[in-house]
Structure formats: structure tokens, C-alpha cells
Amino acid sequence: MASNSSDTPRPKLVVFDLDYTLWPFWVDTHVTPPFHKKGGDVFDSFNEKVRAFPEVPDVLQWLHGEGYIIAAASRTGEIRGAKQLVKLFGWEKYFKYAEIYPGCKKKHFSRFRAESGLEYSEMIFFDDEGRNIRDLKEVGVVSVLVPHSGVTRKLVEQGLAQFAKQRRVGVEK
Ligand SMILES: [Mg+2]
């Protein structure tokens, strides 16, 4: 059973929801676009500071450095605001794909599959909403429910371990 780390199954594509997964608010209701940057910080149109969950920048940088392809999948109706925040937070360099529009997330993932040529079995998904987790599990994406504390390094490591376990079971069947 024991195997070295190079045999550990790992996803090729890591997909994150945005609202309450990478940042602690709904971009369509809790903050007010357009956003702007001042002194390295991001503010909304009422000059309220807008922050991501604290570990998110490091987590994205780490995954990127490890060679994972990263994508964002959001159902928000505030498409422009969400894209603007991604840009102002400096995350455009991490997200190879971004599907941001309302609707069932199976649609977002069918776009990822078409664009990347990857299969659902090669993807992992982090989202704070049970309905999205259920939808993507249904099509075979390893899907991790994000708690109220948002994405952390520990949560992503647990997710990657879960992926390895599920895929290894799949191989041994
Ligand atoms: Mg969400």
C-alpha cells in the first residue's frame, strides 16, 4: 500500500468558488463596486476596505508554485465586480480559467473541461455551498465543503489528501 509521493494521485486543476470561499462576503450585496486600490489595499466605492480570507494569497501562490492549474468558478450576478476584485487582489496570474456568471456550476465545469482538455476526475473543487458540492460530486469531481473560516492551507492539504485517497481507491478497484 505504501508508495512514495510521486505515486500520490494529485489533481491537475484546482477550482475555487469566490464568495465565502476566497473572500468573506457576497460581492453582489455586502460590498459596493467599483473597487479601487490605495496603498496596497483594496476599497469599495464607499471606501470600505475589502479583504480576502487571510491565508488565501499564500495558498494560491503555493499551489501555483507546485504546478497546479488554478481556476475560479462563481455564480455571482456581479460579474464585473468579481473580476475587478480578482484583478486588484493580484490573482489574475494564478487563475488560468475563470467562469463567473449565475447558474448551475456544472455548466462552469463543463467549460473548464472543454477549455483545459482535462477530465472531471483530474479536478478538485472548493466551495462553501452544499448545493454546488452535491452538483459536482454527481459528475465525479472531488468536492470539498469550505467552512465559515474560508480557504486555508490546512483545508487545501486535507482536500488534496482526500483526492489522493479517492483516486487511489479508484485505481485499485
Ligand atoms: Mg460561495
Side-chain angles (χ1 to χ4, degrees):
M1 287 291 280
S3 61
N4 65 47
S5 61
S6 65
D7 295 334
T8 302
R10 50 179 261 173
K12 291 199 170 74
L13 181 68
V14 182
V15 182
F16 293 104
D17 168 49
L18 295 175
D19 291 348
Y20 285 101
T21 293
L22 295 189
W23 54 55
F25 50 82
W26 284 319
V27 70
D28 66 342
T29 50
H30 296 163
V31 291
T32 311
F35 305 99
H36 61 280
K37 212 168 176 177
K38 201 166 54 187
D41 292 318
V42 178
F43 299 85
D44 76 355
S45 60
F46 289 111
N47 278 318
E48 295 287 338
K49 200 167 177 177
V50 180
R51 294 182 179 87
F53 281 117
E55 292 188 30
V56 165
D58 287 346
V59 166
L60 292 175
Q61 193 181 33
W62 163 62
L63 288 171
H64 184 68
E66 291 289 318
Y68 293 98
I69 302 166
I70 308 173
S74 170
R75 304 170 58 144
T76 187
E78 183 47 64
I79 298 168
R80 268 173 57 176
K83 287 182 175 174
Q84 201 194 7
L85 270 189
V86 165
K87 188 175 181 179
L88 291 175
F89 283 145
W91 298 347
E92 276 185 325
K93 60 182 177 288
Y94 300 128
F95 294 139
K96 181 158 184 190
Y97 309 106
E99 297 292 324
I100 301 175
Y101 41 79
C104 175
K105 282 206 182 169
K106 283 179 183 170
K107 184 177 174 193
H108 301 63
F109 274 73
S110 72
R111 291 293 308 151
F112 292 142
R113 187 167 65 169
E115 288 169 22
S116 69
L118 296 171
E119 292 303 323
Y120 291 143
S121 60
E122 298 173 291
M123 302 177 188
I124 187 169
F125 176 41
F126 294 88
D127 195 295
D128 68 297
E129 286 192 58
R131 60 177 178 170
N132 298 328
I133 296 296
R134 278 193 300 278
D135 283 346
L136 274 302
K137 271 187 179 170
E138 237 173 68
V139 297
V141 177
V142 171
S143 301
V144 179
L145 187 65
V146 175
H148 295 307
S149 42
V151 158
T152 59
R153 170 93 179 221
K154 189 177 170 193
L155 183 78
V156 173
E157 284 176 342
Q158 286 170 346
L160 294 175
Q162 182 187 329
F163 181 95
K165 194 174 162 192
Q166 283 182 231
R167 288 292 166 260
R168 191 170 281 130
V169 168
V171 167
E172 285 174 359
K173 261 178 191 165

